[in-house]
Amino acid sequence: MLECALRRAIDSHELVLHYQPKVDLENGAIVGAEAFLRWRHPERGIILPGQFVPIAEVCGSIIPIGRWVLREACRQARAWQDAGIGVRMAINVSPPELRDRDFVHWVRMILNETGLDPPDLEIELREAVLMHDSQFALDVLNALKDVGVQLALDDFGTGYSSLSHLKRFPIDILKIDQTFVSELHTDPGTNSFVNAVIGMGKNLGMQVVAEGVESREQLTCLQELACPQGQGFYLSEPLTAAEFTRLCRRKQVQRASSVV
């Protein structure tokens, strides 16, 4: 039933994006947004991606859905920039999308169509995607770098990445998995691991983002470790485009007031 409904979800305007802020942990500024897909099913209400993306990947609907997400996220990012809100937009890309031979073409075309500068788009990939066919993945990532977009390695530390892989692939951003962030204030070993990842990322010229920041204690630990950026429910849940705009406006007013 979901598979049949998915095929008409795009045309029926049932898909929507929410945006979770990425925050500079030193000054609290919002520096980016990660797009999260939601399905407003006419009968079931909001359906989260974990319930329908695996079905979409199997039945082939993930390709048109992924293109819709890319176009909508780029359109929104450009609209924010035109309104004076400069944030980089991040989207997650599934394995079938990356393997699609037209993927890089669509990225280039949608950037041109929406007017978003390539460095303002961040494409997030899981470690397993890179390890499945490393030479093919390397070719695709190099092609994306030629377009000019930023590349992020999601859930870092939970897969099979090594220093050699980090050196080989043109990765710009490391995202520390939330399983490590959740143990920061309870496990000294985790603190050492996260500290090592932050230092390694900085030494390799990569940005580092901590995912899943859900408490004041976790935020304090990350700030003590000088982690540059973070995201998570303690900082902000995923928001509608209008809610995200209002949050950025409040932050701008707060920063302006602090300067005065």
Side-chain angles (χ1 to χ4, degrees), residues 26-82:
E26 182 178 0
N27 59 27
I30 295 174
V31 295
E34 180 175 353
F36 288 94
L37 181 62
R38 302 288 186 263
W39 181 8
R40 292 183 299 195
H41 193 278
E43 298 174 359
R44 300 190 179 197
I46 294 293
I47 302 178
L48 299 179
Q51 297 175 267
F52 67 88
V53 166
I55 297 173
E57 291 179 350
V58 172
C59 72
S61 299
I62 195 63
I63 301 301
I65 289 174
R67 291 173 182 173
W68 178 88
V69 169
L70 176 62
R71 178 177 282 106
E72 179 62 17
C74 289
R75 183 202 62 77
Q76 182 61 66
R78 181 54 197 252
W80 277 329
Q81 290 179 356
D82 291 343

Side-chain angles (χ1 to χ4, degrees), residues 88 98 103 121-125 130 137-138 140-146 148-154 169-174 206-207:
R88 186 166 64 208
L98 194 68
F103 178 66
L121 175 64
E122 177 182 320
I123 293 179
E124 295 190 1
L125 309 159
L130 305 185
L138 179 61
V140 174
L141 265 58
N142 282 333
L144 289 170
K145 290 306 298 180
D146 288 340
V149 302
Q150 297 284 292
L151 300 175
L153 189 56
D154 201 10
F169 291 108
I171 301 297
D172 302 293
I173 301 119
L174 286 182
M206 300 176 182
Q207 299 176 42

Side-chain angles (χ1 to χ4, degrees), residues 156-218:
F156 182 75
T158 61
Y160 308 97
S161 288
S162 66
L163 288 176
S164 62
H165 289 133
L166 290 180
K167 183 179 178 181
R168 184 184 183 198
F169 291 108
I171 301 297
D172 302 293
I173 301 119
L174 286 182
K175 301 195 71 179
I176 303 172
D177 187 69
Q178 61 184 354
T179 56
F180 300 107
V181 175
S182 67
E183 299 174 353
L184 271 175
H185 61 294
T186 60
D187 180 13
T190 298
N191 283 44
S192 298
F193 173 81
V194 171
N195 188 43
V197 172
I198 294 171
M200 178 180 62
K202 290 179 178 178
N203 288 333
L204 291 173
M206 300 176 182
Q207 299 176 42
V208 180
V209 182
E211 297 183 286
V213 183
E214 297 185 351
S215 72
R216 177 70 217 183
E217 292 80 9
Q218 294 168 10

Side-chain angles (χ1 to χ4, degrees), residues 17-23 30 32-36 38 48 80 212-214 230-247 250:
L17 293 182
H18 287 185
Y19 306 92
Q20 186 172 51
K22 291 184 181 179
V23 177
I30 295 174
E34 180 175 353
F36 288 94
R38 302 288 186 263
L48 299 179
W80 277 329
V213 183
E214 297 185 351
Q231 65 182 104
F233 277 74
Y234 181 75
L235 300 169
S236 174
E237 64 182 348
L239 306 170
T240 66
E243 292 169 338
F244 190 97
T245 301
R246 288 194 290 270
L247 178 63
R250 288 201 302 271

